[in-house]
Amino acid sequence: MLESLVSLECMSLSSMDVSVLERLKWLQQQPQQQQQVRSSTNASPELLQFHGTNNDELLQSTFSHFQMLGSGFGPNYNMGFGPSHETMDGCISRTSSCQMDPADTMGIILKNSEENIAISLKNKRKSEVKTREEEKTEKKIKVEAETESNMKGKSNMSNTEASSDTSKQTSKGASEIQKLDYIHVRARRGQATDRHSLAERARREKISKKMKYLQDLVPGCNKVTGRAGMLDEIINYVQSLQRQVEFLSMKLAVLNPELELAMEDLSVKQFQAYFTNLPVVAASKPSIMIDAPLFPLDQQGSLDLSVINPNQATSIEAPSASWETQSQSLYNTSSLGFQY
Amino acid sequence: MERQIINKKKRVFSVEPNKIPPSEVFTRKYTSHLVPALKKLNMNKNSSQVNQLTVKHEVDMALALSAQEFAWSRFLLQKLSSSNNPTTATSSSSNGIRIQERSGKEGGGDEDGEIEEKLRELQKLLPGGEEMNVEEMLSEIGTYIKCLELQTIALKSMVQDTT
């Protein structure tokens, strides 16, 4: 029902020679989906502003009923559509308070709309930025948002976001008109704030590069998209690493008295082997020989490789389990309990 | 061990921040610092009450000493030395360079705040992170994570060696 009214209204409006209508025609020429619906609703913000009430309020409450209003200016100016919607009554009562002939009302609307265009365009621009953020890719959004913010400062942005959040529909509908004006503005703004936007963009690219590098570093970060999730993962990972270090140092504190004297050489060789994936040359472990003469070195060497097992659960639990057995059978190589 | 007083106004940076230390070098340094320290602890404390805190202290010290090319190691050293001497005033400032608000970065204001919160948390995790810019902090975090990983590997193998 609304759509039929919309089409009616289109016909009625297009019959008049008006700047608003010219714009509508221009937009109608563009081959886009739902063009008619959009174009018809495009005029709504301007016409609504004519009433002099709060834009947001009107946009919120009366958008869906604009088709009724619009038809009110045509030959079908009637209260016939009123009873079905309560808010509709309120809207129509607003219009009816002016109570003029349809032709005259249109004329007045046109005059005021031209005066209000500057104001309306500002508002639409802001909401347009919002819609673009919603509809288009992130990069574009950022560029436009940057220019927007550079021009108008943070406070304006917050205001527009608050206001445009509530006017999603109208902003979508009004996107056609806004595009036309937005393009002009964008070109001008680009020239003016080039330095700022470039610097910001460069800075942001740097940061995103680093985030990508961190993403590679932290396991499991690839699945999460968006900076917040990634930062979460990174925080969790760092915390878990720190906890691991604490836990291991605690363990070390407990086991400290049993530290072998030659552990230094041993560790160094271990790590070399680990990182070069080569079997440890067991020639340089004389001190161990002293403790355990029956202890075959090659076995010790291969054990070192297996000891460095990134799998935490098994590697941490195994030593504690095998500690007692090892202490009992120090010279028995088979019962060392190391993992292979 | 040199104590570096970091001025609030000075920028925090690492020497060759983008260069990742080869893992071998780090672990070698690390173990060479830690093992003798632990031995020393053993010998000094005859009553085998090796305090967990002191071991942790040594562990951190070893980490800081073996990664001296990074900014966070400086801060770590600072912290450790200050915890050794609680009477001396710590020069680390509490009012670090906070993350500045990035206007219009994301679509909604809430998202922006969330991300800043998380970045601040990350800053807290990193030693000296609160005195860095966001960019610097992000690169420092990368190296810090790497060194932590190597440290855990070293400690694990040490623990398993002694058992």
Side-chain angles (χ1 to χ4, degrees), chain A residues 91-106:
Chain A
C91 300
I92 289 188
S93 65
R94 277 194 212 119
T95 60
S96 63
S97 63
C98 314
Q99 275 200 358
M100 283 172 276
D101 294 336
D104 289 342
T105 51
M106 267 317 280

Side-chain angles (χ1 to χ4, degrees), chain B residues 45-56:
Chain B
K45 306 218 168 181
N46 295 327
S47 67
S48 59
Q49 278 185 7
V50 181
N51 201 4
Q52 180 192 339
L53 237 90
T54 51
V55 173
K56 180 79 166 59

Side-chain angles (χ1 to χ4, degrees), chain B residues 49-68:
Chain B
Q49 278 185 7
V50 181
N51 201 4
Q52 180 192 339
L53 237 90
T54 51
V55 173
K56 180 79 166 59
H57 178 96
E58 291 304 324
V59 161
D60 290 337
M61 186 69 73
L63 174 64
L65 289 175
S66 32
Q68 270 182 339

Side-chain angles (χ1 to χ4, degrees), chain A residues 252 255-267 270 285-293 295 297 300 304 323 326-327 330-331 336 338, chain B residues 31 34-40 42-43 157-163:
Chain A
L252 205 57
L255 300 170
N256 206 12
E258 288 84 15
L259 211 64
E260 305 254 353
L261 289 173
M263 212 174 95
E264 183 176 344
D265 303 322
L266 191 71
S267 308
Q270 278 176 2
K285 297 193 184 88
S287 49
I288 296 176
M289 287 293 284
I290 298 168
D291 289 336
F295 205 64
L297 288 172
Q300 176 67 39
D304 296 339
W323 163 240
Q326 188 194 357
S327 61
L330 188 63
Y331 300 110
L336 282 172
F338 282 111
Chain B
T31 50
L34 186 55
V35 174
L38 288 176
K39 277 191 230 168
K40 199 170 139 196
N42 255 338
M43 292 184 333
S157 61
M158 266 191 239
V159 167
Q160 286 186 339
D161 262 351
T162 57
T163 59

Side-chain angles (χ1 to χ4, degrees), chain A residues 44-230:
Chain A
S44 62
E46 291 177 341
L47 290 172
L48 288 170
Q49 284 169 23
F50 162 67
H51 298 290
T53 56
N54 190 7
N55 287 340
D56 297 338
E57 195 186 287
L58 275 174
L59 290 173
Q60 283 173 42
S61 56
T62 65
F63 171 69
S64 56
H65 308 295
F66 169 69
Q67 292 85 3
M68 306 294 199
L69 284 173
S71 64
F73 292 114
N76 297 327
Y77 186 62
N78 263 331
M79 301 287 286
F81 309 107
S84 53
H85 305 276
E86 290 178 356
T87 53
M88 251 293 291
D89 287 336
C91 300
I92 289 188
S93 65
R94 277 194 212 119
T95 60
S96 63
S97 63
C98 314
Q99 275 200 358
M100 283 172 276
D101 294 336
D104 289 342
T105 51
M106 267 317 280
I108 291 171
I109 287 165
L110 295 171
K111 279 185 203 170
N112 285 322
S113 67
E114 283 182 4
E115 288 170 3
N116 288 336
I117 275 173
I119 306 167
S120 64
L121 285 177
K122 262 190 197 172
N123 289 334
K124 271 179 269 165
R125 222 179 292 140
K126 294 174 188 177
S127 52
E128 164 68 2
V129 171
K130 185 67 182 166
T131 38
R132 287 190 170 228
E133 286 172 356
E134 291 162 2
E135 292 171 4
K136 300 205 173 177
T137 59
E138 233 187 274
K139 269 188 186 174
K140 255 193 187 177
I141 292 164
K142 279 180 187 169
V143 171
E144 292 163 17
E146 282 171 12
T147 54
E148 188 70 58
S149 62
N150 286 333
M151 281 299 288
K152 306 205 172 175
K154 296 177 198 173
S155 55
N156 282 340
M157 247 338 240
S158 57
N159 284 340
T160 56
E161 283 173 10
S163 63
S164 54
D165 271 336
T166 56
S167 64
K168 278 181 188 177
Q169 286 181 348
T170 48
S171 57
K172 267 184 190 170
S175 61
E176 305 312 313
I177 293 180
Q178 293 164 14
K179 250 188 215 173
L180 173 65
D181 307 301
Y182 190 73
I183 288 167
H184 291 308
V185 172
R186 195 210 273 164
R188 271 182 247 139
R189 248 185 259 150
Q191 294 166 10
T193 61
D194 223 6
R195 230 181 290 159
H196 294 291
S197 54
L198 274 180
E200 271 214 49
R201 220 176 300 172
R203 182 173 163 267
R204 242 164 250 183
E205 275 175 23
K206 262 192 203 172
I207 290 181
S208 57
K209 254 192 219 172
K210 285 179 186 162
M211 296 288 281
K212 273 185 196 167
Y213 168 69
L214 284 176
Q215 205 177 19
D216 295 330
L217 202 56
V218 175
C221 225
N222 302 324
K223 302 165 190 171
V224 194
T225 49
R227 299 197 188 194
M230 262 176 54

